[in-house]
């Protein structure tokens, strides 16, 4: 997963014109998502000529009294702005494609289909056309679609919804900062644009899925899921859990349980038969146990050659033998 490049991005451009013969600054196009554009700077000389006061760049109080009277713009019809935006709603997209195709003499995908249309691209996504003032008037007269015209000066932020075709013309040199984002209200338009970009030729600069809307929506959904809470344990469950933890804690501490001595015993069934009981170490037996057995058992130390009297085999010189003694009656 490669995160989409949503910005911020910086733009630096010279001034231009949107009238007859003008070329504008940014041709008509659609962004892959919602966008916000902030003008950060415009030349103080231009602001002075247009009479635009921007704190931090130029205000009338910054001029001396001798130059205050010359700050009025020579062309009073010029708008008091450093840039102008023309934003068309999504409903005008189809008619814009037809109008541009007829104006430039190309049969785009709106009028033909197949590989030829894919190679020609899209009249809007190609970003090849700027609508001058005469062209915008003809478009309105033919299709009755008007645009939202927004004037911008330093410090102003312009929001462009996803799915809206727009163009920009700077009246002066300017520095701008832009940032793309996906709003919940325009997700459907972002999905539609992603599908339109996918239909373009693979060599088209807009054919790549730079937004990755599916990944954005997936991780947004996954990040909003609450963490499941563990159910509360009852008293009996907590006691069982503590018992299970005790052996683990002993194993971690490094202590090992002592090995119990091996025992083998054969008890007598009736008076004449004797049973022998052998153990590993007499010291491990408690005195109380030996005293209780002394009344009916006699303890004799055995050598290695008496191994045939020991049951269980494998005994050594340290082993002892408990031999049954019958009581005289």
């Amino acid at each position: 997963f490669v995160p989409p490049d949503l910005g911020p991005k910086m733009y630096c451009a010279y001034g231009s014109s949107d009238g007859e013969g003008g070329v504008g600054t940014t041709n008509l196009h659609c962004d892959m998502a919602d966008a916000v554009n902030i003008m950060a700077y415009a030349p103080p000389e231009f602001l002075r000529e247009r009479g635009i006061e921007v704190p931090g760049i130029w205000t009338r109080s910054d001029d001396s009294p001798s130059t205050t009277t010359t700050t009025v713009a020579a062309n009073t019809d010029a708008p008091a702005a450093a840039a102008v935006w023309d934003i068309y709603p999504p409903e005008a997209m189809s008619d814009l494609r037809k109008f541009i195709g007829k104006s430039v003499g190309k049969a785009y995908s709106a009028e033909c289909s197949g590989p030829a249309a894919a190679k020609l691209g899209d009249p809007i996504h190609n970003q090849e056309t700027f609508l001058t003032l005469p062209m915008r008037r003809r478009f309105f007269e033919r299709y009755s679609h008007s645009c939202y015209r927004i004037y911008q000066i330093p410090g102003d932020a312009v929001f462009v919804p996803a799915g809206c075709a727009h163009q920009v013309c700077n009246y002066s040199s300017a520095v701008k900062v832009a940032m793309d984002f996906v709003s919940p209200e325009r997700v459907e338009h972002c999905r539609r644009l992603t599908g339109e970009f996918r239909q373009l030729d693979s060599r088209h600069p807009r054919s790549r899925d730079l937004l990755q809307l599916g990944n954005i929506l997936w991780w947004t959904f996954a990040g909003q899921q609450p963490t499941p809470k563990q159910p509360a344990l009852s008293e009996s469950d907590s006691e069982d859990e503590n018992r299970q933890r005790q052996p683990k804690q002993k194993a971690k501490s490094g202590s090992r349980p002592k090995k119990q001595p091996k025992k083998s015993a054969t008890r007598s069934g009736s008076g004449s038969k004797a049973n022998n009981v052998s153990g590993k170490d007499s010291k491990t037996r408690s005195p109380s146990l030996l005293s209780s057995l002394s009344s009916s058992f006699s303890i004799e130390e055995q050598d290695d050659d008496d191994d045939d009297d020991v049951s269980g085999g494998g005994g050594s010189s340290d082993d002892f033998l408990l031999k049954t003694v019958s009581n005289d009656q």
Side-chain angles (χ1 to χ4, degrees):
F1 171 66
V2 179
D5 184 13
L6 298 178
K9 298 168 283 188
M10 181 171 287
Y11 297 92
C12 303
Y14 293 107
S16 183
S17 172
D18 62 341
E20 184 70 31
V23 295
T25 303
T26 304
N27 292 336
L28 189 71
H29 70 287
C30 278
D31 290 331
M32 59 182 177
D34 306 81
V36 56
N37 186 290
I38 302 175
M39 180 178 287
Y41 178 81
E45 296 79 12
F46 173 83
L47 300 177
R48 183 184 294 108
E49 291 175 1
R50 298 292 180 96
I52 305 173
E53 296 189 71
V54 179
I57 300 179
W58 176 83
T59 58
R60 296 182 184 275
S61 59
D62 296 336
D63 292 340
S64 60
S66 59
T67 59
T68 303
T69 56
T70 62
T71 57
V72 180
N75 185 5
T76 56
D77 296 334
V84 61
W85 293 67
D86 296 315
I87 304 176
Y88 287 92
E91 295 78 17
M93 293 285 289
S94 178
D95 293 334
L96 277 172
R97 289 186 172 97
K98 296 177 183 178
F99 177 78
I100 295 175
K102 293 178 180 179
S103 300
V104 300
K106 289 184 179 180
Y108 287 99
S109 58
E111 299 180 7
C112 65
S113 59
K119 290 182 179 180
L120 288 174
D122 186 275
I124 297 177
H125 301 324
N126 287 359
Q127 201 170 341
E128 297 175 341
T129 307
F130 180 84
L131 301 180
T132 60
L133 179 59
M135 295 178 68
R136 287 189 287 106
R137 286 175 178 171
R138 292 199 304 269
F139 177 72
F140 175 76
E141 293 171 358
R142 186 175 302 178
Y143 298 100
S144 301
H145 289 298
S146 59
C147 66
Y148 296 91
R149 196 164 178 83
I150 301 174
Y151 293 98
Q152 186 182 30
I153 64 173
D156 288 347
V158 178
F159 286 87
V160 183
C164 295
H166 58 281
Q167 62 181 18
V168 188
C169 178
N170 288 357
Y171 292 136
S172 71
S173 301
V175 178
K176 300 180 182 180
V177 179
M179 182 77 179
D180 296 330
F181 63 97
V182 178
S183 63
E185 297 81 4
R186 311 297 292 186
V187 168
E188 181 59 28
H189 293 280
C190 294
R191 186 198 63 81
R192 176 179 59 81
L193 286 173
T194 300
E196 293 179 1
F197 295 154
R198 187 180 294 112
Q199 295 176 2
L200 298 173
D201 187 80
S202 59
R203 294 168 294 182
H204 197 283
R206 303 301 298 271
S207 63
R208 297 178 58 190
D209 185 9
L210 299 178
L211 181 61
Q212 302 185 29
L213 181 63
N215 286 329
I216 292 177
L217 297 179
W218 168 255
W219 287 109
T220 301
F221 175 78
Q224 296 297 325
Q225 299 306 305
T227 304
K229 296 182 178 180
Q230 298 294 336
L233 297 177
S234 61
E235 294 182 359
S236 59
D237 294 339
S238 60
E239 292 177 359
D240 296 339
E241 186 176 356
N242 292 334
R243 294 195 191 99
Q244 295 176 0
R245 289 180 179 177
Q246 287 177 359
K248 296 181 180 179
Q249 293 175 357
K250 291 181 179 179
K252 291 181 180 179
S253 62
S255 60
R256 297 181 180 179
K258 296 182 179 179
K259 293 183 179 180
Q260 298 294 335
K262 294 182 180 180
K263 302 177 182 179
S264 61
T266 304
R267 295 189 177 180
S268 60
S270 63
S272 61
K273 296 182 180 180
N275 295 332
N276 299 328
V277 180
S278 65
K280 278 291 182 181
D281 190 3
S282 61
K283 295 181 181 180
T284 59
R285 297 182 178 273
S286 61
S288 60
L289 177 60
L290 295 176
S291 60
S292 62
L293 296 175
S294 60
S295 59
S296 59
F297 293 88
S298 63
I299 303 175
E300 298 179 0
E301 297 292 341
Q302 298 295 325
D303 297 332
D304 293 340
D305 53 1
D306 294 331
D307 291 342
D308 55 339
D309 293 338
V310 181
S311 64
S316 62
S317 59
D318 295 334
D319 294 339
F320 62 88
L321 173 67
L322 297 179
K323 188 175 181 180
T324 306
V325 180
S326 59
N327 297 328
D328 295 332
Q329 295 183 357

